[in-house]
Amino acid sequence: DGTLWMEVPSVGGRSPDVPVAVRPRAPAPQTVAAAALDTRVQYFRRHTSAIDDSAFGWVTASGVRGELDIEVTLALDPEELPRNYVVRLYFAEVEDVREGERRFDVRVQDHAALDDFDIVGAAGRVRRTVVKELRGVAVRDKLIVSLRGRTGSLPPQLNGLEVELDR
């Protein structure tokens, strides 16, 4: 279908050089000892068989957790006119987490996209892929997806991000 898939960070081989930045929202640790234990951004990888039911298990068996902003550069000129995109967010709970234990908000281009989102609640169980599609997302040069946790909840999680020009 012409979709280019890549992993961030790249560990399975060379990936196309699309600028992607993953930035924690919390301040950096102030001591060397604290920096060594920094868990603001946590990447995880599981085997595809960890996801039970999806053609996209190879996407959702890995991901990133934390209160963070993901920035994808889609155009090199910040003066470019905005273009509309379809943004698909992929989720699957790979841990033994019960409904309600991981709740978070997702913002796209600083607009609410998912409010109080619960992966297990949306999927009906763990190890099942959920895809949330957003149409007409206007982007000038950088797409920004923000994950914001809820008090008393496990850290936010995103397993995959797909961006397609909205035609």
Side-chain angles (χ1 to χ4, degrees):
D1 69 357
T3 301
L4 168 68
W5 291 95
M6 55 184 272
E7 63 179 342
V8 174
S10 180
V11 296
R14 291 183 45 97
S15 288
D17 189 20
V18 176
V20 177
V22 178
R23 295 189 179 91
R25 296 187 60 78
Q30 298 300 308
T31 67
V32 173
L37 301 172
D38 188 4
T39 59
R40 293 175 303 154
V41 176
Q42 301 172 334
Y43 295 99
F44 62 92
R45 287 181 173 68
R46 305 290 187 275
H47 189 272
T48 301
S49 63
I51 305 301
D52 294 341
D53 67 338
S54 174
F56 290 102
W58 58 276
V59 174
T60 57
S62 60
V64 63
R65 290 187 188 118
E67 298 237 3
L68 49 89
D69 294 328
I70 301 167
E71 181 181 284
V72 182
T73 301
L74 300 176
L76 297 178
D77 183 2
E79 301 303 316
E80 183 90 19
L81 290 175
R83 298 176 81 177
N84 287 334
Y85 290 87
V86 177
V87 176
R88 292 182 192 92
L89 306 168
Y90 290 77
F91 303 94
E93 186 56 71
V94 299
E95 306 294 338
D96 290 325
V97 171
R98 291 188 305 269
E99 186 172 340
E101 289 184 323
R102 186 184 312 278
R103 295 176 12 261
F104 56 96
D105 301 329
V106 179
R107 297 184 66 79
V108 175
Q109 297 304 88
D110 206 28
H111 297 288
L114 300 172
D115 185 47
D116 201 24
F117 185 66
D118 178 351
I119 298 170
V120 177
R125 63 181 172 90
V126 298
R127 296 174 188 71
R128 179 180 283 167
T129 298
V130 175
V131 181
K132 295 295 186 179
E133 182 175 279
L134 310 170
R135 294 193 155 273
V137 177
V139 179
R140 186 177 299 277
D141 60 337
K142 296 176 191 302
L143 170 70
I144 300 175
V145 176
S146 301
L147 305 180
R148 297 180 179 168
R150 292 290 181 118
T151 302
S153 179
L154 292 171
Q157 171 180 304
L158 180 66
N159 300 72
L161 172 64
E162 181 180 1
V163 183
E164 175 185 351
L165 193 58
D166 200 353
R167 298 186 189 268

